[in-house]
Amino acid sequence: MRAAAERPYTLVCRVCGGRYEDDGLVLSCQASHADALLATEYPARVRVDEHVMGGLFQYRNWLPVRRVVAGAGAPVVLPGGALGTRLGLTDLWISFSGYWPEIGANLRTGTFKELEAYTVLGRLPDQPPVLVVASAGNTAAAFAMACGQNGVRCVLVVPGSALDKLRLPMEWAECVSLVVLDGGCYRDAIEFASALAALPGFHAEGGFRNVARRDGLGTVMLAAYDAMGGLPDYYFQAVGSGAGAIGAYENALRLGKHEDAGPPPRIVMCQNLPYAPIHRAWTGLRSSGADRDLIAPELANATPPYAIAGGVRECLTASGGDVLAAGNAETLDAMRLFEATLGIDIEPSAGVALAALRTAADSGMVPGDAKILLNVTGGGRARSARDLTLVPAERMVRLPVPRRREFPGTDEVQRVLTAMERGAEHAVAR
């Protein structure tokens, strides 16, 4: 990692306007008031750093980082081509974050979560505490690779269903510890991670509260602006917490301020039925289902930052946006359509966004000649499995999830700490 001389940005509270010099770890305003996200304020008008060739750190001037981190890729933006024709959209653009060598896409874990992972590492102080990250799978894969490449200690907490996503194009590093909750869900992972992060020497990565996550994911809008020659009219993305869509919207506002780019796009967030908390909160429509019923369980964040200042509702309202939802069958059909027209597999979450866009196009919600950006948040996993040698997770701590919410207790946490002290050389027996 190559260090920068300073942190040329400020953190600003969305409620009180409080301003903070960043230490790389702060997640919230210290004043007593309604809950709010912090935002980053950048003095630099020029977003591209001419000294960084390629990768997301070419936008370092608009990232909350103090160093360039090795191994970071970037989204690739291209015209929708045959997919746009099939949808009846004449100005469709695709931001692809995944593995697709023919177009130069080299996010080898197959997910745009790499954009946030490397940015989070670039924000850290020189001697950071152990990062604790809760994930449904994709985020854990991205942090495992980024932390492993750069020697940053982290603990990843995932439900057992996430293991099939945790295959890396490199050996698993000893600085990466993995906790698997057998029979658990994403919410269980969040609860366990919170308990670990409260211990001395550990620190919660922060999720949507971490400005590095939102701004790293928001580089999608910067790359799109450069490729498209302007901002889109509509932006479609599948969301769990909404952090990526908020980050894209915030960067659209920065482009409008610093480069006279015009108004931001309408933000359309997409979720997977039958469990869609943001869709339910926005529309008032209730659905009967659980996160285990989803083809894209990574979208099942039960506590998204919906009503807080700077959060989902504010982003949707200010942009004139909307929330759409797609079921599993529609999503599978959309995934097949993408591969048939463009020749690469995409992840279920990206299929949710495409299914929602297809519905919007068919219904006339979006005009056929509108400039639309579809954020394909993951793809190319099947391709990477053919091209690359992928290493599954072998060293891990496996814990059952108690039937009652008495978890995590001292015994479970101690087993994780003991395994970390031993270098997690062996799985911990149940």
Side-chain angles (χ1 to χ4, degrees):
M1 293 188 282
R2 181 163 60 85
E6 57 181 347
R7 296 181 185 270
Y9 61 89
T10 304
L11 302 182
V12 182
C13 175
R14 289 296 186 84
V15 169
C16 70
R19 302 173 69 83
Y20 297 88
E21 291 186 8
D22 191 17
D23 64 359
L25 297 172
V26 63
L27 298 174
S28 59
C29 180
Q30 301 305 302
S32 179
H33 52 58
D35 198 7
L37 298 182
L38 293 175
T40 39
E41 184 177 285
Y42 300 104
R45 294 179 61 87
V46 180
R47 67 192 182 284
V48 176
D49 185 342
E50 61 184 13
H51 300 294
V52 181
M53 300 300 293
L56 70 90
F57 285 100
Q58 67 184 303
Y59 300 116
R60 185 173 68 172
N61 292 338
W62 285 8
L63 289 173
V65 299
R66 63 180 305 272
R67 63 175 64 82
V68 172
V69 180
V76 175
V77 180
L78 67 159
L83 179 62
T85 301
R86 288 286 295 272
L87 297 177
L89 301 173
T90 61
D91 202 5
L92 173 65
W93 292 76
I94 295 165
S95 175
F96 187 90
S97 294
Y99 181 75
W100 190 358
E102 287 78 7
I103 67 168
N106 196 34
L107 302 186
R108 293 181 295 161
T109 62
T111 168
F112 82 149
K113 296 296 186 178
E114 287 188 35
L115 305 178
E116 65 185 13
Y118 286 93
T119 308
V120 167
L121 298 195
R123 183 184 173 223
L124 291 175
D126 287 336
Q127 295 182 332
V130 179
L131 277 187
V132 183
V133 183
S135 171
N138 289 333
T139 299
F143 272 91
M145 191 166 81
C147 290
Q149 287 176 325
N150 291 280
V152 177
R153 293 190 69 197
C154 71
V155 181
L156 311 174
V157 185
V158 302
S161 59
L163 273 176
D164 63 335
K165 296 180 179 179
L166 300 182
R167 298 192 301 158
L168 303 183
M170 56 179 279
E171 293 293 329
W172 283 70
E174 289 191 5
C175 62
V176 177
S177 299
L178 179 63
V179 179
V180 179
L181 304 179
D182 289 321
C185 63
Y186 185 24
R187 183 181 298 183
D188 295 318
I190 292 172
E191 290 183 4
F192 196 96
S194 295
L196 280 180
L199 298 175
F202 293 78
H203 188 79
E205 176 275 324
F208 59 79
R209 294 187 184 277
N210 192 325
V211 292
R213 270 211 188 195
R214 301 199 309 275
D215 289 4
L217 296 175
T219 57
V220 166
M221 188 62 72
L222 303 181
Y225 181 76
D226 290 337
M228 298 164 63
L231 291 171
D233 301 317
Y234 293 85
Y235 173 86
F236 279 73
Q237 185 198 312
V239 299
S241 69
I246 294 171
Y249 175 69
E250 290 174 333
N251 266 339
L253 291 177
R254 292 185 184 108
L255 287 165
K257 175 182 178 181
H258 292 299
E259 301 196 15
D260 196 25
R266 295 177 183 269
I267 304 297
V268 182
M269 303 186 190
C270 312
Q271 292 213 290
N272 189 189
L273 292 173
Y275 185 79
I278 291 177
H279 180 258
R280 181 177 67 239
W282 179 253
T283 65
L285 299 175
R286 294 190 172 274
S287 56
S288 57
D291 53 4
R292 63 179 176 272
D293 300 324
L294 303 183
I295 192 173
E298 62 271 19
L299 304 182
N301 189 318
T303 56
Y306 181 76
I308 72 177
V312 168
R313 184 173 63 189
E314 186 176 298
C315 172
L316 291 168
T317 302
S319 72
D322 206 347
V323 184
L324 302 180
N328 293 341
E330 301 165 83
T331 297
L332 282 169
D333 191 50
M335 294 168 67
R336 288 190 287 263
L337 174 63
F338 195 98
E339 187 164 11
T341 53
L342 297 180
I344 192 74
D345 60 286
I346 61 173
E347 290 296 289
S349 55
V352 168
L354 177 53
L357 174 58
R358 190 179 198 177
T359 298
D362 290 345
S363 68
M365 172 187 163
V366 295
D369 60 351
K371 187 183 291 290
I372 298 169
L373 178 62
L374 171 65
N375 189 349
V376 174
T377 51
R381 270 212 173 100
R383 175 64 185 275
S384 68
R386 296 194 299 269
D387 289 3
L388 308 174
T389 299
L390 300 179
V391 181
E394 294 180 350
R395 293 178 290 104
M396 66 190 76
V397 177
R398 302 195 76 145
L399 297 171
V401 178
R403 294 180 181 177
R404 293 188 303 242
R405 295 281 177 181
E406 299 173 348
F407 155 116
T410 303
D411 291 344
E412 288 93 349
V413 172
Q414 187 57 50
R415 290 166 75 179
V416 175
L417 298 179
T418 300
M420 290 181 64
E421 290 172 1
R422 294 175 178 170
E425 290 297 333
H426 303 286
V428 175
R430 294 189 186 185

